[in-house]
DNA sequence: CCCCGGTTTGACAACGTTGTCCACACTCTA
DNA sequence: TAGAGTGTGGACAACGTTGTCAAACCGGGG
């Protein structure tokens, strides 16, 4: 059994402090601070002595104390929805890049798509006094951030707008992208096109559905409401719905998948079928080019989105004035084969 | 131009402090602290008044100050190699789960496979006084962490052992997994099997190569050194090497891919070829089951690895004694088709 | 030798929180 | 009614750092 002596005093497992360094180097406390922060006004000889003491003791500045004193932390938080989603890799990397360029540390956390967790995480980061926050919302209501924003925490929402408050947001052109994707199917002769999307109250899902309707309307193709399926994007429901759309006397000849998870499930369903069914998905998927046929998708530029959000954030931090801004970024249709299949016989 | 008045005082953009709350509620400072921390010894009426003041002012405790005072931060850092790698999603989630169970916040950062960045990030997290660190090493030398570990920062390495220091580590059975994968190919009649892996000084790469050699030796199959290719796993080199192995008078009839990136590139190369070539990859890949044939892989259990590492970490934090420990976790062969192709004709 | 400019250095107070300790206001009992 | 006991509240110091400011030092010119 370990002798778990409850540490009586703080002192971080006895880490050396500037005071210790100062004592060892035989200089004043402030001189150590100056050396650590590369402030001017220290002779080379003094600096050498101080550095020697620092190395000998393994001293590392306590940033908590520094933050407490200075008021700024030079760090920003990024709250992702789901670390496993390949969409967020490049996004996070782009944000980190910009943060680095501004000398800030990026801390990221994942809400695991749980609104409560998003809230906890955001508030925990605020309690640590991050200077800013990039949030990919999991929840619908962000009023809990109001005091934080009022207190000066720069906040930018990504992928979906904030709920209940006015705040900066960087979004993809969801409606436009979906319209383009559906128009692509229409251009290849399809008239009966199914739409499988996420829950209708989710902003991106609603927007994409809107794009679908617009494209159909523009082409003068009537929409049978039974072709539209909105709901949770778990594999079971999506597979069942896709199967439903593809059966019956008048099955759809093409599918538009409302996000990458739907696309993957749809692919699995289609793989088991004889007749080819056209498919266009929103969001790129990994290995989309390796499948036969390749998967045609409407892709978002995750890196651009991340960079834009981060630029907006640091703009605010540098005192940019003005009211909250919504930036909408274009999507790109990537043609790989599955979207160009002609309607099945009959 | 924004009126960038340089903030004269800290005070975090004028956030309310406990003092402000106390003044507004007409109570003492410590009473507010007690309410905020749910400490006993406050009447319901007083608590109500305090909570009211907290809500009215939008007060949020300053954790920097708290940390400074208490000495522990209840947070651990996770340094990933590459956020975009699907392997790390479940791993990070597992670590977070365990951290949550221990009431700790998980902060994760990405080294982007850059040793210098790994170092910066690790030290930045230490400067913020995280209680512990889970590191997926990008670099080879971790002596820079020695003072931190000595000062009590619990540290666990994942996927590869630490370089230059003794520390806890959680690894997959790389040699065993590779041996199993190669044996699988041998069992399906292959004798000439190519191995395309990462740089030889990378621990996992070396171990997997060792497994390959062991399996070949066990089966009495001689290894032609021209079948082994170790180096950077960028697409160009891997594609070129795969092509080389598959050409010439005596081409290999099967490939073993040393990691998921190699697998993906190999798949692209094989997709352009007429004759089927068997393939087994180390690491699972997304959609591996959707391709035709499905991709047979040696999979690591990322969630288990993450959980194990986190358990080890919190064990240390709770005062577990003893010397650094290395845990080796088993891999699992997932049979999907590509590894069961028979050797091409001749 | 003294005083002057500039440079280098250190003492000290703050930042916002929590732990320690003591004071007060009750209640209950003798 | 006094005294002990209990339950509540607040004053104060400390955590490790940085900003302010003044002291000490140096060389050179009077």
């Amino acid at each position: 059994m370990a002798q778990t002596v409850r540490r009586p005093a703080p002192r971080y497992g006895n880490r050396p402090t500037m005071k210790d360094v100062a004592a060892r180097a035989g200089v004043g406390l402030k001189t150590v601070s100056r050396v650590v922060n590369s402030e001017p006004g220290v002779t080379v000889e003094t600096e050498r002595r101080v550095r020697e003491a620092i190395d000998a003791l393994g001293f590392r500045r306590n940033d908590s104390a520094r933050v407490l004193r200075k008021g700024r932390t030079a760090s920003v938080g990024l709250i992702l929805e789901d670390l496993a989603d390949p969409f967020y890799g490049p996004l996070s990397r782009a944000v980190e890049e910009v943060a680095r360029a501004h000398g800030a540390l990026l801390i990221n956390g994942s809400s695991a798509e749980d609104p409560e967790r998003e809230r906890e995480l955001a508030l925990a980061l605020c309690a640590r006094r991050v200077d800013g926050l990039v949030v990919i919302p999991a929840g619908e209501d962000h009023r809990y951030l109001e005091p934080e924003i009022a207190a000066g925490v720069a906040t930018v929402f990504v992928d979906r707008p904030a709920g209940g408050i006015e705040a900066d947001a960087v979004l993809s052109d969801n409606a436009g992208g979906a319209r383009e994707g559906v128009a692509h199917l229409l251009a290849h002769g399809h008239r009966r096109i199914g739409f499988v999307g996420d829950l209708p109250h989710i902003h991106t899902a609603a927007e994409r559905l809107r794009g679908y309707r617009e494209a159909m309307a523009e082409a003068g193709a009537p929409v049978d409401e039974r072709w539209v399926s909105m709901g949770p994007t778990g594999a079971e429901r999506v597979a069942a719905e896709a199967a439903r759309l593809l059966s019956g006397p008048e099955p759809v000849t093409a599918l538009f998948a409302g996000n990458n998870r739907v696309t993957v499930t749809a692919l699995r369903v289609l793989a088991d079928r004889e007749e080819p069914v056209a498919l266009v998905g929103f969001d790129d998927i990994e290995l989309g080019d390796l499948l036969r046929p390749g998967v045609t998708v409407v892709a978002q530029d995750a890196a651009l989105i991340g960079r834009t959000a981060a630029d907006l954030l640091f703009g605010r931090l540098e005192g940019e004035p003005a009211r909250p801004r919504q930036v909408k970024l274009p999507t790109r249709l990537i043609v790989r084969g599955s979207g160009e299949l002609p309607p099945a016989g009959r």
Side-chain angles (χ1 to χ4, degrees), chain A residues 149-204:
Chain A
I149 294 175
V153 180
T155 306
V156 177
F157 289 80
V158 168
D159 194 50
R160 311 183 198 166
I165 60 173
E166 283 223 0
D168 289 320
V170 177
L171 314 172
S172 270
D173 182 4
N174 289 289
R179 190 171 57 221
E180 184 179 8
V182 174
H184 185 72
L185 289 169
L186 288 161
H188 283 81
H190 297 273
R191 300 282 291 177
R192 300 196 307 276
I193 302 175
F195 181 96
V196 182
D198 213 325
L199 293 159
H201 63 89
I202 294 178
H203 177 261
T204 50

Side-chain angles (χ1 to χ4, degrees), chain A residues 156 226 341:
Chain A
V156 177
R226 287 169 302 181
L341 298 173

Side-chain angles (χ1 to χ4, degrees), chain A residues 316-335:
Chain A
R316 295 291 184 206
L317 282 180
E318 268 137 39
E320 210 141 285
R323 339 196 316 89
R325 215 146 53 92
Q326 283 214 355
V327 181
K328 193 179 278 189
L329 297 174
T331 57
R332 192 163 58 93
L333 183 72
I334 302 180
V335 173

Side-chain angles (χ1 to χ4, degrees), chain A residues 193-249:
Chain A
I193 302 175
F195 181 96
V196 182
D198 213 325
L199 293 159
H201 63 89
I202 294 178
H203 177 261
T204 50
E207 283 291 292
R208 290 169 197 179
L209 176 58
R210 188 163 69 80
Y212 164 85
R213 291 195 194 279
E214 283 178 14
M216 295 294 273
E218 268 168 33
V223 174
D224 184 331
E225 285 308 320
R226 287 169 302 181
W227 300 343
V228 174
S229 168
M230 306 285 279
T233 55
E236 322 73 39
R237 187 194 77 90
V238 170
E241 288 293 274
R244 178 176 68 76
L245 296 180
L246 295 170
S247 63

